[in-house]
Amino acid sequence: MTGVSVLACLGLCAVTGALGFTFARGRPGRGELAGEPTYLALHIAGLAAPSLRGGLNGNSARKAVRHLRTLLGTSALAITSAERVLARDGDGVPDDDRVLTEVRVVMMGGRPHVVAGEPSAVLVPLTVEGRMIGTLAVYDAEVSAVLVRTATEVGRWVSGQLELAELDTSRRRMLEAEMRALRAQISPHFVYNSLTTIASFVRTDPERARELLLDFADFTRYALRRVRDFTTLADELSCVDRYLLLERARFGDRMRFTVQVAPEVLRVPVPFLCLQPLVENAIKHGMPGEVRVVIKDAGPEAHILVEDDGIGMDPEHVRAVLGEDGTAGIGLSNVDLRMRHIYGHDYGLVVDSAPGEGTRIRLRVPKCHSAHNAS
């Protein structure tokens, strides 16, 4: 079971624990559906979850605190970090200094802490990967054993949501690192060859050199711009076109290239720089010969095929190209990893190749995906 699945299960268990308190506080009345308290509790938890998935900060705490107090049915509630009160809701939360005094007790002890007095309180630690990052402080006229158990379970559920937020942040950072690696790979390999080719035309054909230099500028502007992880297939194809203009200048008539694209897929969102590395690999292994790109509309997906009729690769070399530790073909490895991270393991590159039989790389892209909306 994956970490996300475990956290989801923990979240369900925590909400179920919260429901125990809901049922303890009140049974369905006459004319009230037996499952209505369960629905309401799950609905309220669902309202709080999106904010908590933003991590523990003032903005997420302010959006979630009212829903959490409603879920627990207490007079007041506060969400704190280790250093400050982030948000409060209801009447009865003491001043920040008093709250933070109790927060320090929880942070030192690492377990729920009950405070007697006016008002009474139970403070529950909020954790991410075993680290305490804050507390859920619940206030009411009196603290019962049921309230302690319920607040503890809700605190665990909140911690689960915060851990999912941490996983989302880690994934984004990983994708950004992979993007930087891809751009770094393009830079020394492609820039040197392009500038060398342009320099060869400076004296013999200055106008051609000028056009190629502008094409090179357009390509690098696209490849190095500060953008999110997604673009469109149309933009990716424009990037490939600039790349091909420079490669044709280098290889001349030895390079033959064809593109077939279904117009319906041009606006499909795709991970940034997912197509050019496939074309670069095809040219590298297919010269001299023909390289073909075919992009089809396949209902809920766009199907991309990049193939060449070159020397091909043996299975071990294919595994090395796609391996995370491989240095050869880091562009393909990068695309494969990003596709799997974004869409799932079924959406990696499929490479068919054999010595002397050319190489075919297939890629499937869902037309609609939440990762794009979140990027």
Side-chain angles (χ1 to χ4, degrees), residues 189-319:
H189 176 77
F190 177 71
V191 170
Y192 175 80
N193 289 332
S194 296
L195 292 179
T196 300
T197 300
I198 293 169
S200 69
F201 286 102
V202 168
R203 292 196 177 190
T204 59
D205 193 343
E207 185 60 26
R208 180 81 184 279
R210 178 181 178 278
E211 292 173 356
L212 289 173
L213 192 59
L214 292 175
D215 291 330
F216 176 76
D218 287 341
F219 176 85
T220 54
R221 185 182 298 114
Y222 177 82
L224 302 177
R225 64 181 178 169
R226 295 177 62 86
V227 297
R228 295 182 177 182
D229 289 329
F230 279 77
T231 183
T232 64
L233 266 174
D235 283 344
E236 284 291 288
L237 287 166
S238 295
C239 172
V240 168
D241 184 58
R242 293 289 182 269
Y243 171 79
L244 290 173
L245 287 171
L246 292 159
E247 292 293 75
R248 283 195 184 100
R250 178 184 171 198
F251 291 110
D253 294 337
R254 289 184 296 158
M255 191 180 85
R256 302 190 306 277
F257 195 93
T258 59
V259 180
Q260 300 175 12
V261 183
E264 298 84 359
V265 301
L266 289 175
R267 297 185 64 82
V268 170
V270 294
F272 184 64
L273 279 179
C274 71
L275 186 55
Q276 185 273 339
L278 309 188
V279 173
E280 181 174 355
N281 179 80
I283 291 175
K284 178 180 178 181
H285 294 283
M287 293 299 299
E290 181 178 3
V291 175
R292 296 175 62 236
V293 174
V294 180
I295 306 179
K296 297 181 179 179
D297 183 2
E301 298 177 341
H303 288 182
I304 301 171
L305 171 69
V306 179
E307 63 178 349
D308 63 74
D309 57 3
I311 59 175
M313 297 180 284
D314 61 52
E316 284 196 11
H317 187 62
V318 171
R319 284 192 291 270

Side-chain angles (χ1 to χ4, degrees), residues 44-45 47-52 56-80 85-91 93 126 135-139 154 157-158:
I44 294 167
L47 293 175
S51 300
L52 296 170
L56 186 63
N57 54 61
N59 185 50
S60 64
R62 283 190 294 272
K63 291 179 179 179
V65 66
R66 177 171 58 88
H67 300 305
L68 294 176
R69 186 173 77 87
T70 303
L71 179 65
L72 286 164
T74 55
S75 60
L77 185 142
I79 301 174
T80 81
V85 177
L86 298 175
R88 58 178 69 210
D89 189 69
D91 298 324
V93 178
L126 301 177
T135 66
L136 187 70
V138 181
Y139 297 88
V154 172
W157 176 78
V158 171

Side-chain angles (χ1 to χ4, degrees), residues 10-12 14-15 45-46 48-49 52 68 153-161:
L10 290 175
L12 289 174
V15 172
L52 296 170
L68 294 176
E153 290 304 316
V154 172
R156 288 176 182 171
W157 176 78
V158 171
S159 295
Q161 299 303 306

Side-chain angles (χ1 to χ4, degrees), residues 56 78-82 102-114 122-128 130-138 148 150-160 162-163:
L56 186 63
I79 301 174
T80 81
S81 67
E102 304 301 336
V103 167
R104 284 189 284 273
V105 174
V106 176
M107 300 297 288
M108 291 178 61
R111 56 194 304 175
H113 174 61
V114 176
V122 54
L123 285 83
V124 179
L126 301 177
T127 63
V128 171
R131 296 178 292 105
M132 285 182 290
I133 62 172
T135 66
L136 187 70
V138 181
V148 173
T150 306
T152 299
E153 290 304 316
V154 172
R156 288 176 182 171
W157 176 78
V158 171
S159 295
L162 296 174
E163 189 141 349

Side-chain angles (χ1 to χ4, degrees), residues 318-338:
V318 171
R319 284 192 291 270
V321 164
L322 294 178
E324 293 187 45
D325 297 329
T327 54
I330 188 173
L332 290 190
S333 174
N334 186 287
V335 174
D336 182 61
L337 284 171
R338 285 193 292 139

